[in-house]
C-alpha cells in the first residue's frame, strides 16, 4: 500500500515503536528551533544536563519575542543566548532579524527533515515538507542532546484541496475555514496533511500560513508535500540544492478524510476570544475598529504585506485607526523596500515596526480597552495582546487592509467595490534579495569549548525538584474551566516575559489573571504541595514550559482535568507534575476549591497496566476514579522528579562507562 507524506516522514525517522495510532513512538530529530521567550530555559537546561555540544544536524536560536529594551533584562538575556549558542554549537539569529518560523523557512529548513521547536507554531515548517513539531523546551534540549522525541502516534487527517482561491480570499481563510468546521480541539491527536489539485496555486508561504495555525486546531503538526512549489521557493532563496521531492504515493490513504473546495471560500474572521470562533466577515461587518495589524508568523510572506501596500497606494488609513505593519523577517522588509512598496505603506499612515513577534505576543502594540483590533496573528486569547479587556479578531491581510481604509470591519469584496479597487496582481520579484548577515553560524567545537556562559543578574539556574511521594494529602488550590490556555496559566507580555530566565520571579505571575490569590495561597500550602482541577483541553495554546515549571516551583504536584492539550500535558510530566484525567467527567462538578485530597499508592498506580487510581476527597468523604495516559518512560520521569534528573543519571553513566539506569 502506498504511503502518504506524513507516513514517509515518520517512517524514515522511526527509532522505536510502530506506526499504529495511539502507541508511543520515538523519532530521530534532525533540527531544533528555539526562540528567546522559551530558549533561555532550554539553554539553562543544557547547562543543568551537563551537555558539551549539540548532537543535531542544525540547531537554531532566534531572538524574536522579547525585543523591547525598556531596561537591562531583555538585552542581558540576548547576550546570555548568544554566549550559549557559541558554547553549545547553535546558530544565532540576532534581534531584529525576524520571526523564527519565517527565517528558519527561508534559510535553514530542509524538506524531509524532522524538527522540534520550543514554540507551538513550529509546525509552520511543514510547508516545506518537514515533520516539525512544537514541544516543551526540555524536550528540545533532549533532542539537542541526541535523544529521540517520544510522542503518541497520531492519526493522519488528509485534507484534499480542489479549486482555486477567488479574488479577495487568501490562505488565512483556508485555515479559518477548518477552524470554523472543527474548533480548537478538532485536530487533537492528528497530523493534518494537505494534498490534491488545489495545492498548485498555493505558494510555499501560503502553505506556511495554513501550517502555522494548525496548532490552533490542537494538531500535532501539519505537513505539505515537497513539490515543485517548494523547489521554486528554495531556488529563490538560493538553496535549490536542499530540495528533495516528497509526495504521497498513488493509492495513499488517510485515517480521516476531508475536502475543501478553495473556489467556494469567502473572507472569514475569528471573533474574540478564540481562534475557533469563526464566522463570515459579512456577519460582523460595520463594527468600528481601533487597530488593524498585518504581519507575524501567521502571515509572514512577502505577498502578505505587498498586497496591502498595493491596495494602500494613493490612499489614507481611516482617521483614528492604527495600521500596524510587522514584517516577519528583515529579508522580507528589504524586498518590500526594493519593490518600491514601503513608501505607499508609510504615506498611507501605516506604522512600521521592527521584524519580530511584537504585538502578537503582547510586546507592544496593545489595543485600547475593549476596542476591536483586527490582526493577522494566530491567536486571540483574552489578554494575549497586552490589554486585559481586549477584543481581538483574526483576519486575512486583505480584510485587515480594507477595514483599515474604511474604519470598520469590512468584507474586502464589498470594500473594494465601495472604493473602486481592483484585485492586485502580485508577482514575486525577479531580483529577490537574500540576507543572511544577521544569522550567525556555530563555532567550531574546539573554539566552542572555550566559551563561557554570560549571565546577567536576572538569570538564575534551574531549581531542582524532588521525586514524587508515594502518598500525600494536598488541597485543591484552584479549579478552572474548559480551554484554559498557557497564556492564562503564565501570561506573556512586556510585564512578565523579561523574567523568563528567573523562575522564582516569574512564578509570582502564575495564574494572576485568573485568581490573584493563587500564588500566596500556594506559598502557604508549604511542603505538602497542592492540586489544580481543570476542565477540557487544559493547557491549550503556547508551548511555553514556564506554565508547568512555575506552578511546580510553587508546589503543584498533581493536575486533574477532563482532558489536556498535548504539549502542556507533556510539559507537566517533564517537570514531575502528575497529570490525571477523570474517569467520570461528572466528578469535576462535585469538587470545590480548598477540598483536600488523599492520594495513596501512586507509584504502584503509575506502574500498573490499568492506568487508574482512586483518590479520596476527605473534605466531602467522596472517592473518584482517575486515570493516566503515561507510558512507562513518562511514569519514570515523574517518579524521579522530572526529565532532567533522568537524563543527568543517564549522561553520568555514559561518561563513566556504566550501564544507564
Amino acid at each position: 500500500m502506498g504511503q502518504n507524506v506524513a507516513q514517509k516522514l515518520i517512517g524514515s525517522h522511526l527509532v522505536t515503536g510502530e506506526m499504529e495510532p495511539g502507541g508511543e513512538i520515538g523519532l530521530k530529530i534532525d533540527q531544533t528551533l528555539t526562540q528567546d521567550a522559551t530558549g533561555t530555559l532550554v539553554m539553562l537546561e543544557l547547562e543543568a544536563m551537563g551537555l558539551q555540544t549539540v548532537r543535531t544536524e542544525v540547531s537554531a536560536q532566534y531572538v524574536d519575542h522579547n525585543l523591547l529594551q525598556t531596561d537591562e533584562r531583555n538585552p542581558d538575556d540576548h547576550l546570555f543566548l548568544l554566549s550559549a549558542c557559541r558554547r553549545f554549537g547553535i546558530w544565532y539569529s540576532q534581534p531584529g532579524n525576524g520571526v523564527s518560523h519565517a527565517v528558519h523557512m527561508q534559510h535553514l529548513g530542509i524538506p524531509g527533515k524532522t524538527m522540534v521547536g520550543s514554540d507551538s507554531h513550529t509546525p509552520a515548517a511543514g510547508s516545506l515538507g518537514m515533520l516539525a513539531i512544537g514541544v516543551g523546551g526540555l524536550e528540545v534540549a533532549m533532542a539537542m542532546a541526541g535523544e529521540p522525541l517520544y510522542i503518541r502516534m497520531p492519526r493522519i487527517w488528509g485534507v484534499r484541496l480542489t479549486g482555486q482561491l477567488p479574488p479577495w480570499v487568501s490562505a488565512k481563510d483556508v485555515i479559518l475555514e477548518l477552524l470554523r468546521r472543527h474548533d480548537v480541539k478538532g485536530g487533537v491527536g492528528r497530523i493534518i496533511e494537505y494534498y490534491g489539485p488545489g495545492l498548485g496555486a498555493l505558494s510555499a508561504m501560503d502553505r506556511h500560513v495554513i501550517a502555522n495555525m494548525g496548532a490552533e486546531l490542537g494538531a500535532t503538526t501539519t505537513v505539505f508535500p515537497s513539490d515543485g512549489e517548494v523547489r521554486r521557493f528554495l531556488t529563490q532563496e538560493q538553496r535549490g540544492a536542499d530540495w528533495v521531492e516528497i509526495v504521497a504515493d498513488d493509492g495513499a490513504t488517510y485515517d480521516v478524510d476531508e475536502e475543501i473546495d478553495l473556489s467556494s471560500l469567502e473572507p472569514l474572521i475569528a471573533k474574540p476570544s478564540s481562534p475557533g470562533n469563526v464566522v463570515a466577515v459579512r456577519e460582523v461587518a460595520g463594527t468600528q475598529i481601533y487597530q488593524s495589524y498585518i504581519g507575524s508568523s501567521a502571515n509572514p510572506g512577502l505577498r502578505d504585506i505587498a498586497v496591502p501596500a498595493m491596495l494602500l497606494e494613493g490612499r489614507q488609513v481611516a482617521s483614528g485607526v492604527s495600521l500596524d505593519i510587522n514584517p516577519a523577517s528583515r529579508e522580507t522588509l528589504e524586498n518590500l523596500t526594493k519593490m518600491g512598496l514601503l513608501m505607499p505603506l508609510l504615506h498611507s499612515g501605516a506604522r512600521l515596526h521592527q521584524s519580530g513577534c511584537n504585538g502578537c505576543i503582547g510586546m507592544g502594540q496593545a489595543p485600547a480597552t475593549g476596542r476591536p483590533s483586527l490582526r493577522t496573528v494566530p491567536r486571540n486569547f483574552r489578554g494575549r495582546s497586552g490589554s486585559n479587556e481586549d477584543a481581538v479578531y483574526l483576519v486575512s491581510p486583505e480584510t485587515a487592509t480594507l477595514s483599515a481604509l474604511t474604519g470598520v470591519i469590512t468584507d474586502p469584496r464589498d470594500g473594494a467595490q465601495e472604493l473602486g479597487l481592483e484585485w492586485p496582481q502580485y508577482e514575486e520579484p525577479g531580483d529577490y534579495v537574500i540576507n543572511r548577515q544577521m544569522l550567525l553560524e556555530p563555532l567550531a567545537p574546539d573554539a566552542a569549548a572555550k566559551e563561557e556562559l554570560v549571565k546577567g543578574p536576572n538569570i538564575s539556574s534551574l531549581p531542582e525538584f524532588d521525586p514524587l511521594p508515594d502518598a500525600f494529602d494536598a488541597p485543591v488550590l484552584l479549579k478552572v474551566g474548559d480551554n484554559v490556555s498557557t497564556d492564562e496559566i503564565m501570561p506573556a507580555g512586556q510585564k512578565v516575559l523579561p523574567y523568563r530566565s528567573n523562575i522564582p520571579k516569574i512564578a509570582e505571575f502564575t495564574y494572576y489573571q485568573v485568581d490573584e490569590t493563587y500564588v500566596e495561597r500556594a506559598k502557604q500550602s508549604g511542603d505538602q504541595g497542592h492540586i489544580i482541577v481543570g476542565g477540557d483541553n487544559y493547557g491549550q495554546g503556547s508551548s511555553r514550559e514556564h506554565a508547568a515549571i512555575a506552578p511546580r516551583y510553587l508546589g503543584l504536584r498533581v493536575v486533574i482535568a477532563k482532558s489536556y492539550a498535548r504539549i502542556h500535558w507533556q510539559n507537566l510530566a517533564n517537570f514531575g507534575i502528575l497529570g490525571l484525567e477523570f474517569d467520570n467527567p461528572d466528578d469535576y462538578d462535585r469538587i470545590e476549591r480548598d477540598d483536600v485530597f488523599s492520594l495513596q499508592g501512586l507509584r504502584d498506580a503509575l506502574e500498573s497496566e490499568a492506568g487508574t487510581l482512586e483518590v479520596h476527597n476527605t473534605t466531602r468523604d467522596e472517592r473518584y476514579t482517575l486515570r493516566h495516559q503515561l507510558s512507562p518512560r513518562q511514569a519514570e520521569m515523574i517518579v524521579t522528579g522530572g526529565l532532567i534528573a533522568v537524563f543527568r543519571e543517564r549522561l553520568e553513566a555514559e561518561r563513566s562507562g556504566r550501564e544507564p539506569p
Side-chain angles (χ1 to χ4, degrees):
M1 181 182 295
Q3 288 189 314
N4 55 51
V5 172
Q7 289 169 334
K8 289 183 176 183
L9 292 170
I10 292 171
S12 62
H13 291 81
L14 192 66
V15 294
T16 62
E18 303 290 335
M19 288 197 296
E20 294 295 331
E24 186 176 78
I25 58 173
L27 298 172
K28 177 184 179 296
I29 299 302
D30 302 316
Q31 298 190 353
T32 67
L33 175 152
T34 49
Q35 39 89 340
D36 48 319
T38 57
T40 48
L41 274 188
V42 173
M43 302 309 162
L44 290 171
E45 287 158 356
L46 294 180
E47 178 190 32
M49 289 159 52
L51 190 71
Q52 293 301 305
T53 187
V54 298
R55 300 173 180 177
T56 47
E57 295 176 12
V58 169
S59 285
Q61 167 68 54
Y62 297 88
V63 179
D64 56 3
H65 279 58
N66 301 292
L67 300 177
L68 291 179
Q69 297 183 204
T70 55
D71 59 29
E72 74 286 348
R73 289 170 299 178
N74 279 345
D76 282 355
D77 275 4
H78 299 166
L79 289 177
F80 167 67
L81 288 170
L82 175 58
S83 71
C85 287
R86 293 172 64 86
R87 173 64 186 83
F88 296 118
I90 301 166
W91 288 81
Y92 180 73
S93 179
Q94 299 182 78
N97 194 36
V99 179
S100 60
H101 312 297
V103 177
H104 200 90
M105 182 177 174
Q106 289 170 329
H107 301 302
L108 295 174
I110 298 176
K113 300 296 185 180
T114 54
M115 180 168 75
V116 294
S118 59
D119 188 292
S120 54
H121 294 111
T122 298
S127 55
L128 290 180
M130 296 180 69
L131 186 74
I133 301 175
V135 297
L138 188 48
E139 288 173 284
V140 176
M142 295 297 291
M144 288 175 161
E147 294 293 304
L149 172 71
Y150 295 96
I151 61 170
R152 299 284 181 184
M153 175 65 193
R155 303 174 75 200
I156 314 300
W157 179 7
V159 179
R160 185 172 185 266
L161 301 179
T162 62
Q164 187 169 335
L165 292 172
W168 306 106
V169 178
S170 61
K172 189 60 157 269
D173 299 303
V174 178
I175 190 61
L176 287 176
E177 170 64 13
L178 264 192
L179 282 157
R180 183 188 67 79
R181 295 183 187 184
H182 300 286
D183 209 344
V184 295
K185 296 192 294 181
V188 172
R190 298 178 178 180
I191 292 175
I192 308 172
E193 178 174 328
Y194 292 89
Y195 70 103
L199 277 180
L202 293 178
S203 71
M205 275 297 183
D206 287 338
R207 300 174 189 188
H208 181 118
V209 173
I210 296 167
N212 177 290
M213 284 188 63
E216 312 326 318
L217 285 153
T220 301
T221 192
T222 296
V223 297
F224 283 86
S226 175
D227 55 11
E229 170 50 34
V230 174
R231 184 178 189 176
R232 186 206 64 77
F233 173 82
L234 291 174
T235 300
Q236 177 179 262
E237 294 289 342
Q238 298 178 7
R239 296 200 298 124
D242 287 336
W243 181 75
V244 292
E245 185 178 56
I246 307 170
V247 297
D249 294 332
D250 292 338
T253 60
Y254 299 89
D255 300 311
V256 183
D257 291 290
E258 184 141 8
E259 185 165 317
I260 297 177
D261 177 4
L262 299 178
S263 61
S264 70
L265 296 184
E266 63 178 318
L268 298 172
I269 186 170
K271 300 190 298 181
S273 291
S274 171
N277 191 14
V278 177
V279 299
V281 174
R282 281 175 172 165
E283 290 189 29
V284 291
T287 303
Q288 188 173 8
I289 67 170
Y290 165 82
Q291 182 185 55
S292 200
Y293 173 122
I294 298 172
S296 89
S297 69
N299 276 98
L302 178 57
R303 81 77 51 225
D304 292 327
I305 300 180
V307 167
M310 289 187 278
L311 291 171
L312 288 164
E313 188 161 13
R315 296 175 176 83
Q316 286 292 305
V317 173
S319 177
V321 173
S322 176
L323 175 58
D324 293 71
I325 305 297
N326 288 260
S329 74
R330 182 168 292 248
E331 181 175 294
T332 295
L333 179 58
E334 289 188 24
N335 279 286
L336 194 73
T337 304
K338 189 169 185 179
M339 294 168 71
L341 293 176
L342 186 58
M343 185 59 74
L345 287 172
L346 298 177
H347 195 68
S348 74
R351 303 168 66 183
L352 183 66
H353 300 272
Q354 66 179 312
S355 299
C357 298
N358 305 326
C360 177
I361 195 65
M363 298 296 281
Q365 300 163 269
T369 304
R371 300 296 180 89
S373 171
L374 305 191
R375 299 185 168 210
T376 65
V377 303
R379 290 184 177 136
N380 59 343
F381 302 144
R382 177 73 68 197
R384 180 179 169 90
S385 71
S387 295
N388 290 339
E389 300 300 325
D390 56 11
V392 174
Y393 296 75
L394 306 181
V395 297
S396 69
E398 292 84 352
T399 298
T401 304
L402 269 297
S403 299
L405 286 171
T406 62
V408 297
I409 297 177
T410 302
D411 184 306
R413 299 169 299 181
D414 300 331
Q417 186 174 5
E418 176 186 335
L419 298 173
L421 291 170
E422 297 290 331
W423 171 243
Q425 297 300 311
Y426 170 76
E427 294 183 2
E428 293 284 345
D431 53 348
Y432 187 83
V433 178
I434 308 295
N435 183 349
R436 298 193 178 94
Q437 300 303 313
M438 297 182 72
L439 192 60
L440 307 182
E441 293 188 40
L443 295 180
D446 288 348
K450 300 174 184 176
E451 292 290 320
E452 298 288 339
L453 295 180
V454 178
K455 291 185 178 181
N458 189 46
I459 298 174
S460 63
S461 297
L462 288 181
E464 293 193 14
F465 298 131
D466 57 328
L468 180 74
D470 189 51
F472 62 97
D473 293 351
V476 174
L477 287 194
L478 200 61
K479 182 180 179 182
V480 294
D482 295 342
N483 298 317
V484 165
S485 73
T486 49
D487 280 288
E488 292 173 283
I489 302 170
M490 177 49 63
Q494 58 84 25
K495 182 179 180 181
V496 179
L497 282 183
Y499 295 111
R500 60 197 174 274
S501 52
N502 186 335
I503 300 305
K505 183 61 180 178
I506 205 170
E508 299 288 333
F509 297 93
T510 307
Y511 266 123
Y512 85 99
Q513 293 176 326
V514 175
D515 183 345
E516 61 183 14
T517 71
Y518 166 76
V519 171
E520 188 58 36
R521 291 187 295 110
K523 291 178 179 178
Q524 292 173 0
S525 67
D527 295 338
Q528 66 177 330
H530 64 272
I531 297 167
I532 289 177
V533 171
D536 273 320
N537 201 29
Y538 182 83
Q540 70 160 333
S542 168
S543 66
R544 73 180 71 102
E545 59 191 346
H546 296 83
I549 192 172
R552 177 67 189 91
Y553 177 80
L554 293 171
L556 178 64
R557 301 309 304 246
V558 176
V559 176
I560 305 171
K562 293 181 181 178
S563 66
Y564 294 88
R566 175 187 61 85
I567 299 177
H568 186 65
W569 174 77
Q570 180 62 61
N571 281 343
L572 294 175
N574 287 346
F575 291 99
I577 300 171
L578 178 56
L580 299 171
E581 297 177 24
F582 290 101
D583 192 56
N584 178 7
D586 292 340
D587 287 339
Y588 168 89
D589 299 318
R590 305 162 68 88
I591 300 168
E592 298 293 338
R593 200 192 89 176
D594 298 324
D595 286 359
V596 176
F597 280 29
S598 178
L599 298 93
Q600 306 291 325
L602 289 177
R603 298 190 179 186
D604 286 344
L606 291 178
E607 292 173 0
S608 73
E609 293 184 6
T612 61
L613 69 152
E614 187 178 78
V615 298
H616 183 203
N617 183 337
T618 60
T619 303
R620 303 179 185 281
D621 196 20
E622 296 177 347
R623 296 183 182 275
Y624 316 122
T625 300
L626 307 174
R627 64 177 185 269
H628 71 82
Q629 304 289 337
L630 300 166
S631 69
R633 178 188 59 82
Q634 292 166 319
E636 178 198 2
M637 284 164 34
I638 290 176
V639 168
T640 304
L643 186 53
I644 289 179
V646 172
F647 180 78
R648 197 158 45 203
E649 289 181 9
R650 190 180 311 155
L651 194 60
E652 288 172 0
E654 176 185 308
R655 288 172 179 164
S656 64
R658 294 183 285 107
E659 282 293 320

